[in-house]
Amino acid sequence: MSETLASAAPTAVSIVVPVRNEAGNIASLVDDIAAALGEGPSFEIIYVNDGSTDCTESKLSELMASRPWLRQIKHQTSCGQSAAVSSGVRHARAGIIVTLDGDGQNNPAFIPALLAALAAGAPHIGLVAGQRVGRQATGFKKFQSRLANGVRSLVLRDGTRDTGCGLKAFRRDLFLALPSFDGLHRFLPALVRREGYDIGYVDVVDRPRRFGTSNYGMWDRLWIGILDLIGVWWLIRRRHRVPHVLEVKRNAD
């Protein structure tokens, strides 16, 4: 998409990318996202700099000089991936949000498929989640992920085999209506179902990480906190029925 078109058209899609110390992966991922959207809907890319201590901030500032659709939101100290996603969504200008991880492993080429599935399923589908196949990870990490996803699925029965994939598309207003807590991004399918919406799924293929190492710890990325899991289970169980309210008109004299 040309810079003129991107800056002139109303923003249709906001791409939110949480990052911490990912300076080496920023430039290529920014350009891959822009190429994936091509001449499609007008977009903005919001990088949420989650307290990085490397040159992430300066790298983003350098890229922003020639890319009017690129924005940077900064946390003074690291607050975690869920907080970074929430900050990006709150600052987004578009009504449709796409998230992906900042390490470059989530392939932006799948963004159009996520957006198409969300549009095709409206208004019943509130979230489209990427589901990784051929995942680029060690055998131990795959085992951890399968275990965590299995426990979560057994307790919450959210119908989602892989909540750890960062590629997701959803409505901004729906996200902002959800309870906010650390680890929220791991429970989005269950919480969206709690609001009465269906979930769509798109198979995606990860790419190898090009630079650096993981900057969010095992507990952030792979394990479900027991207290969080119990809390989300309680929220689902205690969801009140939304009454259908009609006003009864007075009888005419």
Side-chain angles (χ1 to χ4, degrees):
M1 170 176 289
S2 71
E3 294 178 5
T4 302
L5 284 175
S7 59
T11 305
V13 179
S14 295
I15 313 296
V16 174
V17 188
V19 288
R20 186 170 71 199
N21 296 337
E22 293 285 2
N25 293 304
I26 290 171
S28 58
L29 184 56
V30 165
D31 289 343
D32 285 348
I33 295 171
L37 290 167
E39 295 298 329
S42 59
F43 65 91
E44 63 177 359
I45 302 174
I46 304 175
Y47 264 74
V48 184
N49 180 357
D50 184 33
S52 295
T53 56
D54 65 356
C55 59
T56 288
E57 181 177 354
S58 60
K59 186 62 180 178
L60 282 166
S61 296
E62 175 188 336
L63 294 171
M64 288 164 59
S66 59
R67 295 162 176 81
W69 33 261
L70 179 61
R71 301 169 59 197
Q72 177 178 188
I73 305 298
K74 181 181 177 181
H75 290 170
Q76 290 297 114
T77 58
S78 178
C79 298
Q81 190 169 357
S82 284
V85 170
S86 295
S87 290
V89 174
R90 286 196 302 271
H91 285 83
R93 297 180 179 129
I96 300 298
I97 307 293
V98 173
T99 63
L100 71 162
D101 293 340
D103 58 11
Q105 290 192 272
N106 293 154
N107 192 339
F110 292 99
I111 292 177
L114 296 176
L115 293 173
L118 186 63
H124 304 294
I125 289 181
L127 167 75
V128 176
Q131 302 286 273
R132 290 171 291 189
V133 295
R135 186 180 174 195
Q136 301 288 330
T138 65
F140 182 55
K141 284 188 176 181
K142 290 179 182 178
F143 168 75
Q144 290 175 322
S145 184
R146 284 196 297 268
L147 178 62
N149 277 308
V151 172
R152 186 212 70 257
S153 181
L154 180 65
V155 174
L156 300 183
R157 302 189 182 279
D158 57 9
T160 304
R161 64 174 172 81
D162 178 20
T163 62
C165 179
L167 273 165
K168 295 181 176 70
F170 48 84
R171 286 183 8 219
R172 179 177 182 270
D173 61 341
L174 173 58
F175 181 92
L176 294 177
L178 300 177
S180 180
F181 58 92
D182 191 23
L184 168 65
H185 68 287
R186 288 281 173 182
F187 298 99
L188 281 178
L191 293 171
V192 168
R193 286 190 185 279
R194 175 181 180 266
E195 297 300 314
Y197 293 92
D198 294 330
I199 310 297
Y201 301 99
V202 172
D203 283 345
V204 302
V205 179
D206 262 1
R207 309 183 295 187
R209 172 187 271 274
R210 295 183 61 191
F211 300 102
T213 59
S214 174
N215 293 291
Y216 286 110
M218 180 178 68
W219 291 96
D220 278 329
R221 301 179 62 247
L222 298 172
W223 296 106
I224 299 172
I226 297 300
L227 290 178
D228 285 343
L229 183 61
I230 294 172
V232 173
W233 176 83
W234 182 87
L235 284 171
I236 293 171
R237 294 272 297 180
R238 299 300 297 169
R239 172 65 173 168
H240 63 81
R241 295 180 62 184
V242 179
H244 181 60
V245 179
L246 295 173
E247 181 179 358
V248 178
K249 303 294 184 181
R250 70 178 66 195
N251 292 327
D253 294 334

